[in-house]
Amino acid sequence: MATMRAAVYTTFSGPIIVQEVPKPTAPVGGLLLRVKACGVCRSDYHGWKGLDSDIVTHGLPFTPGHELSGVVVKLGLGTTKFQVGDRVAVPFILSCGSCRQCARNRPTICEAQGQPGFTMPGGFAEFVAVPRADRNVSLMPPKVSFLQAAALGCRLTTAYRAVMQQGRLQSGETVGVFGCGGLGLSAVMIALAAGDNVRVLAVDTSEEACNKAWDLHAFNAKEGASLAPARVGMTQSEPMPSDEYIRARVAEVTGGFGADLTLDTAGFAATCENAVWCTRRGGRMVQVGLPLHGKEPCIPMARVANQEIEIIGSHGLAATDMPVLLAMVAAGRLMPEKLVQREVTLEEGAKAIEAMDTGSPLGITMITRFKGAKEGDEPNEPPAKMPRVA
Ligand SMILES: NC(=O)c1ccc[n+]([C@@H]2O[C@H](COP(=O)([O-])OP(=O)(O)OC[C@H]3O[C@@H](n4cnc5c(N)ncnc54)[C@H](O)[C@@H]3O)[C@@H](O)[C@H]2O)c1
Ligand SMILES: [Zn+2]
Ligand SMILES: [Zn+2]
């Protein structure tokens, strides 16, 4: 039987070990992909902790990874849009096309969605089986690298929907981004790239994360970055003492009004609550982070009612919108590689999930090396035109 290397956990919160597992086959209507890049997202951490109901339903052992791109190595029966050798970007939501939500053109909340890395084995592996390909998978423009396309698979596309579609960002508005990890920095980048005369307030308890947002030319309450440095990377199970400071600082820089659009891009009680408290009268607050562990957010619903604040959920992006983002990357209007802090091996990617027990990595950590030390990976294309981010 053919095998491949994959990162596997056999118990929730147990060790994630790279081992030989059976190589999958191309599913009917799908593709077998050689994975070329796969990001490490906090949602992979939730899954590993046993907090994702899809992984619980799937059962263990499990291979994570839902932010991926690769090369088609085999076509499943009935797949018509692709050829072997195609370079493709895979969204994390593989919608079904036939449920009530898909019929209403809401594939991001498809009632029967498949998700590599949640409902099926994911991209922390040399190969991954991707079903429903014709409907969901996109060809990568030649100018786009695997690393760039993988960054679109989850956090950048999710940020795009959160800021532009669910958040309805308008020119001249102020956006507050609460939590500037992979998703938050993506939101900062999207708001700056897509919005006209938009001011972005980047909020994070990590000075490094604030500085990274600053590098993306966001407005940044810089001195706020050092307000609780000891708390960088905490697991967020207790209230943040800095909430008052953050709220006061946002009020101060918005003339006392708050931000027109706020986003919880981290998924902690504090980021959710601060986002709501910092939303301007009549503004929109978009919940994108998943507060799955620790304290449940406590929302001031009277304020929501009497100030007509909208609270809106946002999940992934419709696969049909992926080509728009790929075109923005190809045109140089979006630079996902700037968010990639580290390129790592499969083993290091597994360790990066485990390390989220004690904190967040800076920016996006991306697995680009999948083979063992003996074999070595073939060089990734295109020959690094992208600068490594320090
Ligand atoms: N809705 C979706 O479709 C979707 C898609 C992708 C990710 N997510 C979720 O988004 C969240 C973020 O994912 P990520 O991979 O970017 O996480 P991450 O761990 O990379 O980033 C979290 C950031 O929040 C910061 N932070 C922690 N506490 C804070 C506080 N009190 N105030 C301000 N900042 C604080 C951390 O310093 C870090 O920079 C997760 O909950 C993930 O599951 C949701
Ligand atoms: Zn994700
Ligand atoms: Zn559906």
Side-chain angles (χ1 to χ4, degrees), residues 93-224:
I93 299 171
L94 305 174
S95 66
C96 76
S98 51
C99 73
R100 181 184 171 99
Q101 302 303 339
C102 284
R104 292 180 169 193
N105 200 23
R106 299 199 62 186
T108 58
I109 51 167
C110 168
E111 286 162 5
Q113 58 193 273
Q115 296 183 353
F118 298 105
T119 66
M120 62 189 88
F124 277 45
E126 286 184 273
F127 297 91
V128 67
V130 182
R132 300 175 177 171
D134 284 350
R135 180 177 166 79
N136 292 292
V137 175
S138 286
L139 269 179
M140 289 164 50
K143 274 189 184 167
V144 175
S145 73
F146 289 118
L147 180 137
Q148 290 173 312
L152 291 183
C154 172
R155 281 164 292 183
L156 252 168
T157 42
T158 296
Y160 181 81
R161 177 163 175 77
V163 172
M164 303 306 295
Q165 298 180 345
Q166 299 297 80
R168 310 189 306 273
L169 177 65
Q170 292 166 38
S171 60
E173 288 195 325
T174 298
V175 186
V177 178
F178 290 77
C180 292
L183 179 65
L185 289 172
S186 299
V188 169
M189 183 175 266
I190 292 284
L192 291 169
D196 181 18
N197 190 24
V198 164
R199 189 161 70 136
V200 179
L201 314 180
V203 180
D204 202 290
T205 43
S206 149
E207 183 161 11
E208 277 182 306
C210 285
N211 287 340
K212 184 100 184 161
W214 179 258
D215 289 344
L216 297 173
H217 306 295
F219 172 92
N220 175 324
K222 261 214 154 187
E223 60 272 40

Side-chain angles (χ1 to χ4, degrees), residues 210-244:
C210 285
N211 287 340
K212 184 100 184 161
W214 179 258
D215 289 344
L216 297 173
H217 306 295
F219 172 92
N220 175 324
K222 261 214 154 187
E223 60 272 40
S226 59
L227 78 136
R231 290 184 164 269
V232 173
M234 64 181 288
T235 51
Q236 311 301 318
S237 56
E238 50 199 25
M240 301 292 289
S242 54
D243 289 350
E244 291 70 27

Side-chain angles (χ1 to χ4, degrees), residues 324-376:
V324 176
L325 276 279
L326 285 165
M328 283 173 82
V329 176
R333 286 179 57 212
L334 261 191
M335 288 172 265
E337 69 278 8
K338 284 196 168 179
L339 306 178
V340 177
Q341 193 69 25
R342 283 203 305 151
E343 285 187 47
V344 300
T345 63
L346 205 44
E347 284 81 357
E348 289 165 336
K351 289 279 166 257
I353 293 184
E354 295 172 1
M356 284 193 213
D357 257 340
T358 50
S360 288
L362 186 61
I364 291 179
T365 300
M366 186 71 74
I367 303 169
T368 51
R369 297 195 296 285
F370 294 84
K371 292 195 170 154
K374 267 196 224 144
E375 281 173 294

